Amino acid sequence: MTPKPKHSTTGTTAESADISSSVDSTAAHLMVAHLTVADLKSSKSRKNRQKAVHAGLALAAMVSVAVSGFIVWSLISEAWTFIVEVEWSQIFNIGWFPRRGIYDVSTLLTATLITTAIAMLIATPLGLGAAIYLSEYARSSTRAFIKPILEILAGIPSVVLGFFALYWVAPEVIGRISDNSTGSLAAAGVGVGILTIPLIASISEDAMTAVPSSLREASTGLGSRKTATTLRIVLPAAISGIVASLIVAVSRAIGETMVVFLAGGAGDTALFTSSPTDSGLTMTAAMASLASGTDNVVGEGLTVQSLYFVGLLLFVFTLLLNLVANRFVSRIQEKY
Amino acid sequence: MAVTFGRVLDNKTSTRIEREVASAIKRQGSDWKGNTFYTLLLVMLVLTLFILAVLIYGVVADGWDILTGWLPSFLGGTLGSIKAFEGQTLGVQQGLAGSFWIAVFVALLSFPIGIASAIYLEEYAPKNRFSNFIELNIRNLAGVPSVVYGLLGLFLFVEGIPSITGGRTAASAGLTLAILVLPIVIITSQEALRAVPATLKEGSYGVGATRWETVRRQALPYAAPGILTGTLLSMSRAIGEAAPLILVGAITGFLGSNPSIVDPRQLDDAFTAMPILITGWTQNPMPEFRVAAAAAIVVLLVFVLLLNAATIYLRYHFEKKREA
């Protein structure tokens, strides 16, 4: 008797398994006599279902491509009207007053730069510190406790950070170092920074845990201390992931809307300022404030189009940053 | 008595030398750089946790009057003026209704389309330039600022097809947010499908199953917890998102009707949502609305944190189970 396959299967597949493992040629002959090529083929309905499912899934995957297409189309078609029709003297003016036809983009860009810089000043040390601690120093029980807490911070909606930045950061932190204790670019920047801490922490921690432990062991074996191993071996090995986390955080900070909208302290207009403790409008806040007026997006001439123009700028900036970050991430994936 | 370098040392000296050598090897107590670095890391971590604690404390403390005073009527109340606050008819029901319908759109559109895309990309798509392009495209979509999705919603759903969506309505908002979380659903589902052991699929093919049968009977059940985690995460992102809704035209001031939360007739009407309501009240300079905004934040956070807690629990639970 031939040894039966261990797994018990049913139907034709079991019989064919028997054939292949069988040395009993008569039995095999008997089987083959019953089986024709048609039996081994899938039924027509089974094949059709295959095709239908394949087509359906491919169609679903195309949706995301279509979404990208629509985003680019909507931004460019409306922004183009703005670019063609706007008077360029209004692009370089005293500030951002879209309903009066004054569109000084540098006001928005400067404010965005200020909030992003402050956000990164807050988030980089805190996020990296947490990541290094969790990856290199923390015991597994500590990790199991801290990581979910960071995930909770990551899950907090940005309106909540906006509220916090306006009512707690602005009076308690910014108000103590300046005269402005209501909304300001600095308060908004701190809020955005808090929002990006978990982003930096999780991406760079992933990068550091991906560093093979053999590197650490070799370093320790040569007599390095923990600090030297961390700073001279692990960090350089994980650098592309860490850089990627910082780039992603910058991109997130540039695109963050609600925190700067609520805590930036400006209405839907702003004079040019380069002082962090002033109130101001970033690109995103300008878009949100323009759209949230009682009349929604209505205004003189090119007001609506200016919205799409700012949106296009924002889209291009974040896209470039994300492409660079992707490069860095794929580099670390190739290495280990 | 010990002998060192040919000299006879007394016991005292030899113990001293031994200790010095031992401490030189271990370098005990001299690692001030390492200690400083470690302390610094710990300070960063504690500071992060401290910020989170202050944030939660601040919101709860600000909303305390409503949370302990008239929470039930706040949950059933509507948008309104300071009079509504004093009469305790101010509340979040319209916001809960808007957020509920947005969640329905996300569940009905993003989940099936997202999971189907992930299956296509992981199990069906040939590895060529085109599928690489789709993957890159999805990763970039995940990084597009949410306010830009708002512009898309305004262009496409509010002004593009108002005959279907009704313009500035909950339907437009739901469609916009469904598109916004689509990349998140795809990416997390892809990761879950990628973690399915190849042996499982090969075994299935080996017994004659077709590709779809393999996906449905082997890959999907195995990846289900991971996919579920992704969908819950995207849901929590969708109900906390405010910026796109502002662009699509959510109402922050007054909203006439207050239908029950699950009444679908409100879909083609003006709408608000929890984060929008919070935005409106936060912008209101009257101190009463700071209380209202904080209380509404607590209500929103309960939902968001429950969803997040569920994902965290699921992930750790199944990680443990897989390891065992």
Side-chain angles (χ1 to χ4, degrees), chain A:
Chain A
M1 190 60 208
T2 53
K4 285 251 165 156
K6 270 183 192 160
H7 301 285
S8 74
T9 43
T10 52
T12 49
T13 47
E15 287 162 19
S16 51
D18 270 346
I19 296 169
S20 58
S21 66
S22 174
V23 283
D24 191 337
S25 56
T26 48
H29 273 298
L30 271 174
M31 291 292 190
V32 172
H34 289 289
L35 277 173
T36 60
V37 177
D39 287 323
L40 291 171
K41 270 188 172 169
S42 294
S43 68
K44 209 165 197 181
S45 68
R46 201 168 167 220
K47 263 189 175 165
N48 284 342
R49 196 191 310 153
Q50 275 289 306
K51 276 183 193 155
V53 165
H54 193 135
L57 294 175
L59 202 66
M62 288 308 119
V63 170
S64 62
V65 179
V67 167
S68 298
F70 276 124
I71 289 180
V72 173
W73 176 39
S74 65
L75 290 178
I76 289 183
S77 68
E78 297 279 325
W80 185 247
T81 320
F82 180 82
I83 294 169
V84 171
E85 290 181 17
V86 76
E87 277 185 47
W88 285 88
S89 62
Q90 305 293 3
I91 298 275
F92 305 98
N93 209 309
I94 50 165
W96 180 258
F97 299 91
R99 288 184 213 273
R100 283 161 41 195
I102 301 172
Y103 312 101
D104 181 45
V105 178
S106 67
T107 304
L108 307 182
L109 289 177
T110 313
T112 303
L113 203 65
I114 291 171
T115 51
T116 306
I118 293 173
M120 293 308 289
L121 278 179
I122 303 279
T124 307
L126 292 179
L128 277 186
I132 297 174
Y133 182 83
L134 286 177
S135 152
E136 303 301 314
Y137 287 87
R139 263 177 281 162
S140 62
S141 57
T142 322
R143 270 170 65 99
F145 170 69
I146 304 277
K147 279 200 85 171
I149 296 181
L150 283 179
E151 278 164 32
I152 286 175
L153 186 58
I156 289 181
S158 56
V159 267
V160 180
L161 259 310
F163 176 91
F164 182 68
L166 179 64
Y167 282 126
W168 288 79
V169 176
E172 303 296 336
V173 182
I174 309 301
R176 282 168 206 270
I177 53 175
S178 77
D179 307 331
N180 187 358
S181 62
T182 55
S184 64
L185 288 175
V190 173
V192 176
I194 297 172
L195 208 64
T196 47
I197 292 172
L199 203 63
I200 295 181
S202 79
I203 301 179
S204 27
E205 200 223 326
D206 284 347
M208 279 185 267
T209 6
V211 174
S213 51
S214 57
L215 287 187
R216 293 187 189 86
E217 284 153 14
S219 167
T220 314
L222 288 172
S224 299
R225 282 174 176 152
K226 188 91 187 166
T227 325
T229 307
T230 304
L231 290 177
R232 301 219 186 119
I233 306 295
V234 179
L235 283 193
I239 194 70
S240 44
I242 293 170
V243 173
S245 82
L246 297 182
I247 298 173
V248 169
V250 169
S251 152
R252 177 78 201 274
I254 290 177
E256 175 47 48
T257 307
M258 294 318 291
V259 178
V260 278
F261 176 47
L262 288 175
D268 58 0
T269 59
L271 280 170
F272 179 86
T273 179
S274 56
S275 158
T277 51
D278 280 352
S279 62
L281 271 181
T282 63
M283 291 195 284
T284 52
M287 293 166 74
S289 59
L290 194 56
S292 72
T294 47
D295 49 358
N296 287 312
V297 194
V298 190
E300 300 272 307
L302 293 169
T303 311
V304 179
Q305 284 73 25
S306 74
L307 201 66
Y308 286 91
F309 177 67
V310 178
L312 182 64
L313 285 183
L314 192 65
F315 178 74
V316 170
F317 288 156
T318 50
L319 182 68
L320 289 178
L321 286 170
N322 288 334
L323 286 174
V324 176
N326 276 340
R327 263 281 162 77
F328 277 103
V329 168
S330 55
R331 194 181 291 174
I332 195 166
Q333 279 164 351
E334 276 163 26
K335 227 157 99 188
Y336 302 116

Side-chain angles (χ1 to χ4, degrees), chain B:
Chain B
M1 294 290 262
V3 182
T4 313
F5 301 125
R7 280 195 297 159
V8 178
L9 298 174
D10 59 309
N11 257 343
K12 214 172 156 192
T13 322
S14 96
T15 347
R16 187 173 57 86
I17 289 175
E18 246 169 53
R19 209 181 297 140
E20 272 173 14
V21 169
S23 88
I25 292 171
K26 288 194 205 156
R27 289 199 281 198
Q28 270 174 337
S30 65
D31 190 15
W32 63 270
K33 270 188 201 161
N35 290 337
T36 319
F37 184 64
Y38 180 77
T39 317
L40 208 65
L41 292 180
L42 214 54
V43 167
M44 295 300 166
L45 187 68
V46 169
L47 208 58
T48 305
L49 301 183
F50 174 73
I51 291 172
L52 181 64
V54 173
L55 189 144
I56 304 273
Y57 165 79
V59 171
V60 173
D62 279 348
W64 193 250
D65 285 352
I66 288 178
L67 295 174
T68 56
W70 41 287
L71 186 61
S73 64
F74 184 71
L75 288 176
T78 62
L79 283 165
S81 65
I82 183 75
K83 284 216 176 83
F85 184 93
E86 283 156 359
Q88 304 194 344
T89 58
L90 191 79
V92 294
Q93 181 166 330
Q94 293 157 331
L96 288 172
S99 289
F100 171 78
W101 283 104
I102 286 167
V104 168
F105 269 89
V106 169
L108 290 183
L109 289 175
S110 311
F111 294 176
I113 297 178
I115 296 170
S117 307
I119 294 174
Y120 179 78
L121 291 173
E122 281 305 308
E123 310 289 339
Y124 282 80
K127 291 282 167 258
N128 58 20
R129 273 197 159 159
F130 186 62
S131 61
N132 277 345
F133 165 74
I134 299 182
E135 298 243 1
L136 183 70
N137 176 48
I138 290 168
R139 274 203 299 273
N140 286 325
L141 274 183
V144 171
S146 58
V147 67
V148 173
Y149 281 98
L151 283 179
L152 175 71
L154 178 65
F155 182 84
L156 203 59
F157 302 130
V158 176
E159 273 151 17
I161 48 167
S163 53
I164 300 169
T165 59
R168 303 176 195 287
T169 60
S172 295
L175 288 168
T176 306
L177 286 187
I179 288 182
L180 181 130
V181 300
L182 186 62
I184 307 174
V185 178
I186 298 177
I187 291 172
T188 47
S189 305
Q190 269 187 291
E191 274 165 15
L193 285 168
R194 215 171 292 153
V196 176
T199 49
L200 204 62
K201 287 187 252 174
E202 282 157 11
S204 172
Y205 289 130
V207 295
T210 61
R211 189 175 285 198
W212 172 238
E213 285 160 353
T214 304
V215 168
R216 221 190 62 183
R217 306 242 169 86
Q218 308 301 331
L220 276 183
Y222 189 94
I227 293 176
L228 189 62
T229 310
T231 53
L232 290 176
L233 208 66
S234 64
M235 189 60 94
S236 104
R237 170 88 194 268
I239 64 171
E241 197 63 70
L245 301 185
I246 291 182
L247 270 289
V248 175
I251 303 290
T252 51
F254 296 92
L255 194 58
S257 63
N258 183 26
S260 80
I261 289 173
V262 293
D263 187 350
R265 278 172 298 182
Q266 60 194 306
L267 276 176
D268 58 354
D269 211 348
F271 76 105
T272 190
M274 284 307 287
I276 293 297
L277 209 121
I278 293 165
T279 307
W281 288 342
T282 305
Q283 283 182 313
N284 195 316
M286 279 186 274
E288 284 84 355
F289 283 97
R290 176 175 175 178
V291 181
I297 285 176
V298 173
V299 175
L300 176 65
L301 275 184
V302 167
F303 285 105
V304 170
L305 293 186
L306 273 181
L307 281 170
N308 279 329
T311 64
I312 293 169
Y313 172 79
L314 269 176
R315 189 159 62 242
Y316 286 91
H317 179 75
F318 280 97
E319 259 173 25
K320 231 175 233 171
K321 215 171 150 192
R322 293 267 156 78
E323 278 163 17

